[in-house]
Amino acid sequence: MFWKTTKLDLICYPPMPDHVARPWDAADEYILERANPEEKTLIFNDRFGALAVNYPEAKLWLESACARIAAEKNLGRNEIASQPDRWITHIEPDTRQILIKAPKDFEQLQFWLHLIQTDCPDARILIAGMSKHIPISWLTWLEAHCAAYTQHPIQRKARLVEVGGPNISDKCIQLDGYHWEELELLATPGVFGRHHIDIGSRFLLETLAEQQLSFSGRLCDLGCGNGLLGFTLKHCHPDLELVMTDDSFQAVESARENSKRNHLDATIVHGDTLLNTPGQFDIIVCNPPFHDGHRQLTNFAQRMFEQSARQLTPGGQLLVVANRHLPYPALLKQQYRRVQVVKQNPKFIVFQCSLAKHTKENTLA
Ligand SMILES: C[S@@+](CC[C@H](N)C(=O)[O-])C[C@H]1O[C@@H](n2cnc3c(N)ncnc32)[C@H](O)[C@@H]1O
């Protein structure tokens, strides 16, 4: 898609439905208008690389595997040479300018600001997002916790705030979490279900526990978050070979921490759907996302169902929990010969899907 303001050509990755398929927004344009291209720059949370293509020398802090793929594609598309050290997970102290696309979760913003305060406290920080996604409470907090604070006027529904000298408590970077059965599940800010067990995931686990089942073989927790689903099943069935994967780097780091804390072995991989977890699986468990940032979408779940169908063993099972209002039965039926409702309540449904008409014995009844 041609971006008139910058004369660049950008796409979305993964491809999005037409009504949301614009890889930049007015907040990107606002940042570009106010940022200084001469300064050594670090960019956070650039979902499709709209800022990266305008700052070819900048370092990128992207926690989402899909965002990294999108940025790579858009840099390549615009013939911007690839830099081997472009992706970073620590802040270089000589960084002068930091551009942040506001995340959905305020705790994640606080976490990044704390890292900035530790590693390059004098950097100029520009935070932008659509104004409906940056509530006044965030602004009040930023003003109270930063030595310098300037709020620019709203422009084409986008908000831009410039801050400096963040002074943020260490509490904002601590692991937090909950106990579930005998497990301790912690996570860094921004990870799904960080503070409480998700009620959909709980419904799935309780449903699986009620069934006469004996899981065996190779199991993947797809979109693992803190690892709740995979670790619970591994705890009950220690012989399982557990693989976990998530798009979020912080989720993967949190799951690794939980693997150690709970003494449960797992291969834990950062990636988009199952693209970085090769091989076949006997069981895939999934509570699929239905948001990408603030966009509500079913194409993420659909891609997970498609990729799972490619990587299930012939007798394998995909176990999915979903909100009842989502159109997943039709999406699942496109990929699987057998789609059964294992249990439902007024809010959620648990599906068991397989490629073969007759599934392996020894799994769900
Ligand atoms: C609804 S949460 C479930 C988390 C965890 N399984 C639980 O039950 O608490 C969905 C998870 O999918 C991850 N996710 C989103 N898009 C993904 C993708 N393309 N590939 C892999 N994981 C993805 C999110 O980061 C999030 O952790």
Side-chain angles (χ1 to χ4, degrees):
M1 185 179 278
F2 183 67
W3 186 0
K4 218 165 139 196
T5 322
T6 59
K7 308 212 168 6
L8 291 162
D9 174 31
L10 267 66
I11 53 155
C12 290
Y13 178 87
M16 299 279 167
D18 285 350
H19 69 286
V20 286
R22 209 175 63 150
W24 66 87
D25 62 17
D28 291 309
E29 295 191 332
Y30 206 169
I31 290 203
L32 292 174
E33 209 180 287
R34 298 289 176 137
N36 180 353
E38 306 298 320
E39 297 282 21
K40 178 166 169 148
T41 300
L42 166 62
I43 300 171
F44 278 83
N45 196 35
D46 188 15
R47 176 61 186 87
F48 299 111
L51 298 174
V53 288
N54 285 283
Y55 276 74
E57 304 296 322
K59 302 290 180 194
L60 304 180
W61 182 296
L62 298 180
E63 292 179 5
S64 153
C66 287
R68 290 188 189 188
I69 298 170
E72 287 282 16
K73 285 185 181 291
N74 284 324
L75 288 161
R77 233 179 145 75
N78 292 283
E79 293 175 8
I80 297 166
S82 96
Q83 291 175 28
D85 57 350
R86 180 173 272 139
W87 316 105
I88 59 169
T89 50
H90 66 279
I91 301 178
E92 295 171 351
D94 58 341
T95 306
R96 301 301 314 142
Q97 171 172 262
I98 299 183
L99 312 180
I100 304 180
K101 273 304 282 299
K104 190 171 167 192
D105 183 343
F106 189 49
E107 287 185 352
Q108 185 144 42
L109 180 62
Q110 294 172 319
F111 180 70
W112 293 335
L113 290 172
H114 190 285
L115 300 178
I116 296 167
Q117 142 188 336
T118 310
D119 295 331
C120 61
D122 300 328
R124 173 185 184 221
I125 307 164
L126 280 81
I127 305 167
M130 299 313 290
S131 57
K132 65 181 175 191
H133 300 146
I134 303 188
I136 300 297
S137 57
W138 290 26
L139 301 177
T140 313
W141 188 93
L142 287 168
E143 189 167 16
H145 290 83
C146 295
Y149 173 88
T150 309
Q151 190 182 318
H152 293 284
I154 290 178
Q155 188 170 291
R156 288 186 299 125
K157 299 189 181 164
R159 199 186 275 294
L160 179 72
V161 182
E162 208 169 319
V163 299
N167 179 14
I168 291 156
S169 144
D170 291 348
K171 270 197 201 139
C172 292
I173 57 165
Q174 281 163 6
L175 289 166
D176 193 16
Y178 55 87
H179 285 89
W180 163 249
E181 301 196 333
E182 283 152 43
L183 304 177
E184 183 186 26
L185 294 161
L186 303 182
T188 54
V191 175
F192 177 88
R194 177 178 181 226
H195 299 293
H196 309 284
I197 188 166
D198 175 64
I199 48 172
S201 299
R202 183 183 191 131
F203 183 63
L204 172 62
L205 290 172
E206 287 172 348
T207 302
L208 298 181
E210 272 167 32
Q211 307 290 318
Q212 296 298 313
L213 60 103
S214 141
F215 283 129
S216 61
R218 193 164 185 246
L219 179 144
C220 183
D221 180 348
L222 171 56
C224 63
N226 63 11
L228 164 71
L229 301 179
F231 290 133
T232 304
L233 293 169
K234 172 86 179 165
H235 180 65
C236 300
H237 309 279
D239 291 338
L240 278 173
E241 180 192 339
L242 177 60
V243 177
M244 307 180 127
T245 186
D246 202 287
D247 173 70
S248 151
F249 179 75
Q250 291 301 338
V252 165
E253 290 288 282
S254 304
R256 287 191 178 129
E257 175 64 29
N258 292 328
S259 165
K260 279 190 230 141
R261 279 179 188 258
N262 295 289
H263 309 289
L264 292 167
D265 284 342
T267 304
I268 306 173
V269 181
H270 185 213
D272 170 25
T273 65
L274 295 168
L275 298 181
N276 290 348
T277 53
Q280 302 294 108
F281 296 100
D282 299 292
I283 306 155
I284 298 174
V285 282
C286 188
N287 176 358
F290 59 99
H291 287 99
D292 178 29
H294 292 279
R295 309 168 207 227
Q296 189 173 324
L297 295 167
T298 54
N299 68 326
F300 278 79
Q302 186 171 7
R303 292 176 68 251
M304 287 180 162
F305 302 156
E306 285 166 10
Q307 194 57 34
S308 296
R310 289 184 198 115
Q311 288 185 238
L312 273 181
T313 55
Q317 315 271 325
L318 168 69
L319 298 164
V320 176
V321 64
N323 285 61
R324 288 179 73 104
H325 71 273
L326 294 166
Y328 290 170
L331 298 181
L332 288 165
K333 281 177 191 156
Q334 285 167 13
Q335 302 296 324
Y336 298 88
R337 283 183 77 186
R338 189 158 171 266
V339 177
Q340 277 191 304
V341 173
V342 183
K343 189 165 178 186
Q344 51 190 312
N345 70 13
K347 231 177 148 184
F348 298 104
I349 308 191
V350 173
F351 297 102
Q352 180 195 15
C353 314
S354 58
L355 300 165
K357 257 194 175 148
H358 301 289
T359 51
K360 201 165 68 165
E361 277 179 32
N362 222 10
T363 52
L364 275 169

